[in-house]
Amino acid sequence: MKPHRRKMLGIILFIAFGLSAAVGLTLYALSQNINMFFTPTQVAQGEVPAGQHFRIGGMVKDGSIAREADSLSVNFVTTDFASEVPIHYVGILPDLFREGQGIVAEGIVDAGGVFQASKVLAKHDENYMSPEVKAALDAAGASAENHSAASEGGSL
Amino acid sequence: MLPELGHFSLILALCLCALLGTLPLLGAARGNTQFMGLARPLVAGVFVFIGLAYALLTYSFAVDDFSVTYVQQHSNSLLPLRYKLTAVWGGHEGSFLLWTFMLAGWMLTVALFSRTMPLAFVARVLGVLGLLSVGYLMFMLATSNPFDRLVPLPAADGVDLNSALQDFGFIVHPPTLYMGYVGFSVVFAFAMAALLSGRLDAAWARWCRPWANVAWAILTIGIALGSWWAYYELGWGGWWAWDPVENPPLITWLFGTALIHSLAVTEKRGIFKSWTVMLAILAFAGSLLGTFITRSGLLTSVHAFATDPERGIFILGILVLSIGGALLLFALRAPLLRGRFSFGLLSREMLLLVNNLILVVSAASVFLGTLFPMVYQAITDDLISIGPPYFNAIFVPLMALLVLALGVGPLSRWKKTSGNFLSRQLALAALASLILGVILPLLVTGAMSVGASITAALALWIVFSGLKDARNKMANKKSIAAGLRSLPMSYYGMQLAHLGVAVLLTGAALTTLYSQEKSVLLGVGESIDLGSYEFEFQGAKPITGPNFRGMEATIAVRRDGESLRDLYPERRVYLASGTPSTEMAIDAGFWRDLFVTLGEERGDGAWSMTIYVKPFVRWVWLGTLLMCFGGLLAAADKRYRRVRESRAEAAVTEPSAARSVDGIAGVRV
């Protein structure tokens, strides 16, 4: 092999090795950081493996928000209008968190069946519904429009 | 009437763009100077008509013309004037008009500042940009016309601008980001023009470099402004969230960073040509991907516009056509791009190649993490998300490697550098940064920290190796002043940008390592300690603004019993939309930020709030500012202007038939 060919080969091998190492590590990191998303119905039917960290999405059930007066604890219920999952969260809720609003929470279900949220997200645009929440409602066979219209006396 | 005029001028602009996208390209292919000469006047026309449309939409906002659907959806009579004027880009249609207007602005700039380049080349560049504009304008007219009227009757008042957007950050972030984004279309057009003409040489790289540098610098500052805005407005205490819509600008930026380095090799050594062109295509694809993601509603994000899939498909069409076309042209012209592969395993070329590989791999991994949930959903129908830990796990080590190479790169030589030479040059810098890296965190905090030591060592490595390089460059000058004067502007630009990397790295790592936060419920008169600070809640009182009402809390901050200052975080409710919003209070400082966000009232006047102490967070933006200035300085180097004079002379003194096309541009100077 001519010297410059050998050098070329060396460089190509170096690049190939670097790239495959990068791809391997990337895929590993990816597989370690996948957060599954489940709907309240899926949670109620026990589709979530015990102790798994996941995201849940649904609407905040009307009249379900209970704040403790002397701490930052909040309890509320999220629903896809077919099943409900109680959520417990300690901390400050996002600005747009309110009853009838679509939310996504991250955390795990404890032994008592309560979803212990480490993070609660509400979207910044009120007209915008997270695709995840929408999927959850669609899966449960309920359209959000019908429900919010019904709950607000058809004002939409 | 005026909105219809705006609509009409968009249609006129489309017609002009259709001409711009065909005649000059045809002219360049056939050697018809008349057709080529049309490029500049057509660009001026396009700029005028898109600018007119933009001005008319702004005017509709200013006078509260709620018969225009877009105005009605994104403004309100109570909205302060500065937000009415900027609410133009508060939604999908208007922001796309801004995007198109920015492109027209860039085209005009190219038309005005391209006298150094041959006319055929300018005609091709502007022609390609014209074709892009055709796509954008058709998209706007077909799916997202901002001038649509509200039928049958105008609304009494507007819905209001999203309250999260009513902020200074909204005034500055979108225009700068778009300007940077769209700037890469120009670089893309340069690459396409080179492929079309088959002329891809050092001169081409020299024409291209200032544009790439400026686009890169503006994109840098655009991203930084977004990060700064998110930091103080969204109130989660972070400056980067790996949000699916934050990522495409970053991907574009990473490709762009690789590109400006690769262009250096193409200019100085005439190699890496195909790689440079590829990077130009990739950076442009990144910018289109950003638009696609924001406007198609495929991903969940705070940025996502309320969307419909038709638009997504249209943008996907533009993306596929332009990138597909570019890649096809690239493949056809590949034989022209061959450069001679002649450099040592240890050389500046090699180090810049390493830089490029690391940047491209990090861009690719960010891309993968951003789009993976979408692909996964398409295959398995399961919804997933990829969290920040993935991005951090990939990005942080790659950047550390990049910084190591960064220290060696400037000191190495083209073609071949001996390992001995490099290690002699850099031994002191390496040793000093290692030792100081270990000692500094210990001295400052009194505790060892591996993370902080690595950070400090890497940052100092950039600084020390940069200083060593500067000293080498000035070694045979009489005085330091003479040495400093002799260095070209582009060298200062490089040093400044690299220093910016050191500052950004320090800020990013230390604020992550040492930030503290606490969510608490405080009654009036109660206080809490965080770090070495004491925060006392002194009560909350109602406030009224022009278009909102709210509560304002007073938090007294003390350190060692000494009063520092009072912070006034707010909770607002916007009257028109009824949207609640948090306005945090920040005490910004060079060494640390203190900030408080207000939660909600919980009986007895007690409020929940989150308090943050964030050391070094300002360094993140200070670093990006230095990088931006570095990019601009490099673009301002006089050798890019000197070329003009020599070209003009050359054109005048040796007018041969073969160069007549090139010469015209030169003579006109």
Side-chain angles (χ1 to χ4, degrees):
Chain A
M1 210 188 288
K2 287 176 186 160
H4 77 271
R5 287 269 167 94
R6 194 158 44 210
K7 195 158 74 184
M8 188 92 137
L9 185 69
I11 292 178
I12 290 171
L13 282 178
F14 169 75
I15 292 175
F17 173 77
L19 276 183
S20 42
V23 169
L25 286 173
T26 307
L27 290 179
Y28 176 74
L30 203 57
S31 67
Q32 293 299 299
N33 287 291
I34 289 179
N35 262 330
M36 297 290 288
F37 177 86
F38 291 99
T39 67
T41 302
Q42 285 175 312
V43 175
Q45 290 169 350
E47 286 182 29
V48 183
Q52 187 181 336
H53 188 93
F54 67 99
R55 285 150 74 100
I56 187 171
M59 309 299 267
V60 179
K61 191 186 171 193
D62 285 344
S64 74
I65 302 176
R67 295 183 164 92
E68 285 174 24
D70 55 350
S71 80
L72 292 174
S73 288
V74 185
N75 291 296
F76 60 94
V77 173
T78 184
T79 174
D80 55 9
F81 304 114
S83 308
E84 296 177 348
V85 173
I87 294 184
H88 177 250
Y89 178 67
V90 180
I92 294 174
L93 291 161
D95 291 347
L96 286 180
F97 179 90
R98 66 172 89 149
E99 290 170 356
Q101 169 80 31
I103 56 110
V104 173
E106 259 182 66
I108 50 170
V109 174
D110 68 9
V114 177
F115 188 86
Q116 300 288 341
S118 55
K119 207 193 240 175
V120 175
L121 307 164
K123 290 300 147 195
H124 266 269
D125 182 342
E126 291 182 281
N127 304 318
Y128 175 75
M129 184 181 287
S130 141
E132 294 166 339
V133 175
K134 194 167 177 315
L137 297 182
D138 290 347
S143 103
E145 284 76 21
N146 295 341
H147 278 273
S148 54
S151 64
E152 287 169 29
S155 64
L156 274 175
Chain B
M1 187 54 212
L2 287 177
E4 278 70 30
L5 193 61
H7 189 180
F8 185 60
S9 56
L10 281 184
I11 297 174
L12 270 179
L14 175 63
C15 298
L16 291 179
C17 283
L19 291 177
L20 178 62
T22 46
L23 295 182
L25 287 176
L26 207 66
R30 300 249 172 100
N32 181 335
T33 30
Q34 261 178 329
F35 276 10
M36 289 187 248
L38 282 175
R40 287 195 173 102
L42 279 172
V43 161
V46 168
F47 179 80
V48 165
F49 284 112
I50 296 183
L52 181 66
Y54 186 83
L56 287 170
L57 186 62
T58 312
Y59 180 76
S60 293
F61 270 97
V63 299
D64 294 331
D65 185 352
F66 296 128
S67 69
V68 177
T69 312
Y70 182 73
V71 177
Q72 197 268 336
Q73 290 291 319
H74 296 93
S75 184
N76 181 274
S77 53
L78 291 176
L79 195 65
L81 184 65
R82 62 180 180 284
Y83 296 127
K84 279 184 186 166
L85 297 182
T86 51
V88 175
W89 57 77
H92 161 73
E93 290 88 348
S95 64
F96 203 76
L97 179 58
L98 175 69
W99 175 281
T100 321
F101 182 47
M102 287 287 177
L103 183 58
W106 275 103
M107 290 195 312
L108 188 71
T109 323
V110 173
L112 290 175
F113 296 97
S114 55
R115 304 290 177 191
T116 60
M117 304 166 205
L119 182 61
F121 184 76
V122 176
R124 287 194 168 106
V125 170
L126 294 176
V128 170
L129 289 172
L131 282 178
L132 273 181
S133 306
V134 168
Y136 294 161
L137 284 167
M138 276 173 60
F139 170 67
M140 190 148 56
L141 289 167
T143 71
S144 338
N145 179 11
F147 295 106
D148 274 347
R149 294 279 194 171
L150 202 57
V151 280
L153 284 174
D157 207 339
V159 174
D160 206 3
L161 179 66
N162 188 338
S163 59
L165 300 180
Q166 294 183 27
D167 184 86
F168 177 71
F170 172 69
I171 299 178
V172 291
H173 164 59
T176 17
L177 185 73
Y178 281 16
M179 203 188 287
Y181 250 170
V182 175
F184 280 101
S185 310
V186 175
V187 184
F188 170 77
F190 269 73
M192 290 306 101
L195 288 182
L196 283 171
S197 65
R199 183 182 168 180
L200 212 160
D201 50 13
W204 171 80
R206 195 162 51 234
W207 298 330
C208 200
R209 280 186 84 183
W211 297 95
N213 277 338
V214 171
W216 178 85
I218 297 175
L219 183 64
T220 308
I221 208 69
I223 296 175
L225 283 170
S227 148
W228 171 63
W229 179 25
Y231 166 76
Y232 74 75
E233 175 69 29
L234 295 181
W236 87 101
W239 50 273
W240 193 262
W242 297 109
D243 181 281
V245 179
E246 284 175 353
N247 292 343
L250 181 69
I251 294 170
T252 310
W253 186 86
L254 290 166
F255 283 137
T257 313
L259 174 66
I260 56 179
H261 288 91
S262 166
L263 269 172
V265 186
T266 308
E267 186 200 346
K268 300 280 185 190
R269 303 272 297 116
I271 51 175
F272 288 11
K273 287 179 190 170
S274 46
W275 180 240
T276 301
V277 169
M278 193 46 130
L279 286 173
I281 297 176
L282 285 173
F284 171 71
S287 73
L288 275 190
L289 178 79
T291 328
F292 175 62
I293 287 183
T294 349
R295 295 168 199 277
S296 67
L298 277 174
L299 291 168
T300 319
S301 151
V302 288
H303 290 71
F305 294 108
T307 47
D308 75 68
E310 189 192 336
R311 288 176 190 157
I313 289 170
F314 206 119
I315 299 179
L316 199 61
I318 297 181
L319 209 153
V320 168
L321 274 179
S322 55
I323 303 300
L327 290 177
L328 184 69
L329 190 60
F330 181 77
L332 290 174
R333 292 290 185 165
L336 282 170
L337 302 178
R338 200 167 298 151
R340 223 166 284 136
F341 202 94
S342 60
F343 53 90
L345 277 179
L346 198 57
S347 61
R348 189 179 283 192
E349 289 92 326
M350 196 62 193
L351 280 154
L352 284 168
L353 185 63
V354 169
N355 149 307
N356 271 231
L357 277 181
I358 296 175
L359 285 166
V360 168
V361 167
S362 33
S365 56
V366 175
F367 177 79
L368 186 69
T370 309
L371 289 196
F372 188 72
M374 217 168 81
V375 177
Y376 194 89
Q377 192 194 348
I379 296 170
T380 67
D381 224 23
D382 283 337
L383 287 160
I384 57 162
S385 68
I386 302 295
Y390 160 77
F391 295 102
N392 292 334
I394 301 276
F395 208 67
V396 172
L398 280 173
M399 288 303 115
L401 278 179
L402 185 64
V403 166
L404 285 180
L406 191 162
V408 191
L411 279 149
S412 63
R413 293 177 177 159
W414 295 112
K415 288 185 184 170
K416 197 169 175 58
T417 313
S418 84
N420 269 338
F421 168 77
L422 277 183
S423 48
R424 263 202 320 278
Q425 292 289 312
L426 287 165
L428 190 65
L431 201 66
S433 43
L434 265 179
I435 294 174
L436 279 174
V438 175
I439 293 176
L440 271 181
L442 195 64
L443 279 181
V444 176
T445 63
M448 294 290 278
S449 154
V450 179
S453 290
I454 294 176
T455 308
L458 286 174
L460 289 169
W461 168 244
I462 298 178
V463 175
F464 289 151
S465 58
L467 284 175
K468 172 71 186 160
D469 185 46
R471 235 188 81 186
N472 286 357
K473 293 266 188 307
M474 301 189 292
N476 48 10
K477 294 289 180 302
K478 282 189 200 104
S479 63
I480 293 180
L484 288 175
R485 267 200 305 277
S486 72
L487 293 171
M489 199 73 99
S490 57
Y491 182 76
Y492 282 106
M494 180 199 78
Q495 285 280 6
L496 201 60
H498 285 176
L499 184 66
V501 177
V503 174
L504 166 62
L505 160 91
T506 311
L510 294 187
T511 194
T512 309
L513 287 168
Y514 291 115
S515 282
Q516 292 174 293
E517 66 169 275
K518 226 178 218 178
S519 289
V520 285
L521 188 67
L522 289 182
V524 177
E526 285 180 348
S527 66
I528 182 164
D529 290 329
L530 187 64
S532 49
Y533 301 92
E534 184 194 355
F535 298 83
E536 185 191 325
F537 176 53
Q538 299 188 324
K541 63 170 197 293
I543 49 162
T544 320
N547 57 343
F548 62 87
R549 268 198 298 272
M551 293 292 280
E552 180 191 85
T554 305
I555 317 279
V557 186
R558 283 189 289 268
R559 184 177 196 175
D560 307 325
E562 226 174 287
S563 190
L564 269 186
R565 63 169 289 178
D566 291 346
L567 293 173
Y568 306 101
E570 298 170 18
R571 265 315 278 196
R572 292 179 182 173
V573 175
Y574 284 86
L575 301 176
S577 57
T579 327
S581 164
T582 318
E583 293 293 311
M584 54 226 60
I586 303 184
D587 177 36
F590 186 71
W591 299 109
R592 54 101 195 99
D593 272 19
L594 307 174
F595 85 85
V596 182
T597 72
L598 213 48
E600 63 223 349
E601 194 172 1
R602 296 265 179 120
D604 293 344
W607 280 76
S608 64
M609 57 191 81
T610 310
I611 293 164
Y612 301 81
V613 176
K614 304 194 77 72
F616 287 95
V617 69
R618 296 281 141 185
W619 289 43
V620 171
W621 305 300
L622 184 65
T624 49
L625 209 58
L626 290 175
M627 288 157 89
C628 170
F629 282 135
L632 293 177
L633 269 189
D637 194 302
K638 50 175 192 279
R639 84 205 153 79
Y640 298 123
R641 293 195 300 275
R642 207 162 45 213
V643 182
R644 161 167 56 192
E645 289 141 29
S646 61
R647 274 207 75 82
E649 284 160 23
V652 172
T653 50
E654 35 176 316
S656 66
R659 330 181 23 108
S660 65
V661 171
D662 290 17
I664 285 163
V667 175
R668 251 198 222 149
V669 171

